[in-house]
Amino acid sequence: MKTFLLFKNQKAFCVIFMRLWREILNCVESVRAYLRSSSVSYDIIGQNPFGDVSKSFDVEAERIVEKCLAQVLGEVAFLSEETGLLISKNPKWIAIIDPVDGSTNFAYEIPWASISLAIAPYKKGARVRDVELAIVAEVFRDVTYVYRDGLVEVLGGRQYSRRAQPAPIMLGYFENENSYKPLLKYASSHTKRLAIRSLGSAALDIVYVGLGNAEVFIDTRAKLRNVDVAAALRIATALGAKAIECSENLRDALDIEIDSEKRIGCLVATYNDEQLKKVLASL
């Protein structure tokens, strides 16, 4: 497996993750192995705490990663898509989990889905900026994006380097006229042709903006949750991307809370400040 270093800052890193991050990564690999296995069930089994449909593979993937993390980290709280917030007796960590981001794609074999995991010290009011380990793993490819010790690494795949200029691609979600208008307005302000793509895994979309494989991500549908994007935001912003929660008042997306379930009304991520200014003008 090849490892490519993309970015480094001076953030001090917790000693426990220097010892255990590979074991935590193995937990994610176990989920990927399950999702690629013949034992996956696509049955609908209910609704999750956010009111979305839960499929059997969502619940089983979450069970695998939570059991593995408990063995590695001991007392850990979980904030996850399928079960909401679970707090153990004396948690030292909180794990924010979306075991299958892009579950509709996964169910229909559209190869754009990911496993998302972020871990932060457990405390009331914990936010994305407190995340000390973030992993976004592609389900259909052996490519994993990892934030740790102020580093972003790409494990597997071809060699990646952050683009000097982002690709002229806009990623976003539009299910009605209101959610499409900001994308259209941003695209119309572009001096060159801009491609618009709606792919189906917000975590991967945001990471790709950080890499410069797209220049902007916009979602104003009020359907994203903090579990969907916590890991991706930590990775993308470490790469230099800018991310803003624009639900009511504008605020840095690193200030999104991760100590309880939260819907995000509006989220944008851009390759740099130049695109951010244009996006905010289009909202």
Side-chain angles (χ1 to χ4, degrees):
M1 178 181 287
K2 298 178 181 179
T3 301
F4 303 108
L5 175 64
L6 297 178
F7 183 87
K8 182 174 183 178
N9 64 30
Q10 300 301 313
K11 181 180 181 296
F13 192 64
C14 183
V15 174
I16 189 170
F17 284 128
M18 294 177 68
R19 299 196 310 266
L20 297 179
W21 80 272
R22 283 283 181 186
E23 294 182 46
I24 296 168
L25 180 62
N26 287 339
C27 295
V28 174
E29 295 289 353
S30 296
V31 175
R32 180 154 54 190
Y34 160 71
L35 292 173
R36 292 181 177 182
S37 73
S38 60
S39 61
V40 170
S41 170
Y42 300 89
D43 294 340
I44 295 174
I45 59 175
Q47 287 187 326
N48 64 31
F50 293 95
D52 300 324
V53 169
S54 290
K55 295 184 175 68
S56 180
F57 65 77
D58 290 311
V59 174
E60 178 62 15
E62 186 174 292
R63 185 196 67 80
I64 290 170
V65 71
E66 288 183 354
K67 181 179 178 181
C68 184
L69 288 174
Q71 292 173 344
V72 174
L73 293 175
E75 294 294 330
V76 55
F78 296 105
L79 178 63
S80 59
E81 183 177 51
E82 300 306 319
T83 56
L85 182 63
L86 296 175
I87 302 176
S88 60
K89 184 177 180 181
N90 186 30
K92 297 180 177 64
W93 311 99
I94 183 166
I96 301 91
I97 304 166
D98 187 353
V100 192
D101 183 53
S103 58
T104 299
N105 283 354
F106 177 78
Y108 293 106
E109 298 183 347
I110 298 172
W112 190 255
S114 63
I115 304 153
S116 180
L117 170 65
I119 298 179
Y122 177 78
K123 64 178 181 179
K124 186 175 178 58
R127 299 172 186 269
V128 172
R129 69 174 67 255
D130 297 313
V131 169
E132 294 184 348
L133 178 69
I135 300 171
V136 174
E138 297 192 24
V139 172
F140 292 94
R141 297 199 303 160
D142 294 324
V143 181
T144 305
Y145 310 91
V146 181
Y147 168 87
R148 65 180 183 92
D149 195 15
L151 307 175
V152 174
E153 296 173 292
V154 180
L155 308 178
R158 65 177 176 83
Q159 184 168 357
Y160 282 80
S161 60
R162 192 171 193 256
R163 296 175 184 270
Q165 293 295 325
I169 296 172
M170 175 165 52
L171 304 176
Y173 295 89
F174 37 90
E175 296 174 355
N176 54 52
E177 183 180 356
N178 288 334
S179 61
Y180 183 66
K181 281 181 179 178
L183 285 83
L184 186 61
K185 187 174 181 181
Y186 179 87
S188 64
S189 70
H190 229 265
T191 57
K192 297 181 180 179
R193 178 180 178 275
L194 184 67
I196 301 176
R197 300 288 185 266
S198 185
L199 300 179
S201 172
L204 278 182
D205 294 348
I206 292 168
V207 169
Y208 268 48
V209 169
L211 291 168
N213 294 341
E215 69 176 52
V216 62
F217 167 87
I218 304 176
D219 192 330
T220 63
R221 301 170 303 157
K223 287 190 174 183
L224 284 178
R225 293 72 54 93
N226 50 358
V227 295
D228 299 324
V229 298
L233 287 171
R234 199 67 174 111
I235 292 168
T237 54
L239 287 166
K242 308 299 179 182
I244 297 292
E245 183 188 13
C246 43
S247 303
E248 296 176 359
N249 298 322
L250 300 181
R251 67 167 178 168
D252 191 329
L254 292 176
D255 288 324
I256 292 173
E257 298 82 0
I258 54 172
D259 60 343
S260 62
E261 302 99 331
K262 176 181 172 60
R263 281 198 179 272
I264 300 170
C266 174
L267 182 69
V268 300
T270 64
Y271 181 78
N272 59 26
D273 284 321
E274 178 184 351
Q275 287 84 33
L276 180 62
K277 291 176 182 178
K278 292 180 180 178
V279 171
L280 295 181
S282 71
L283 296 176

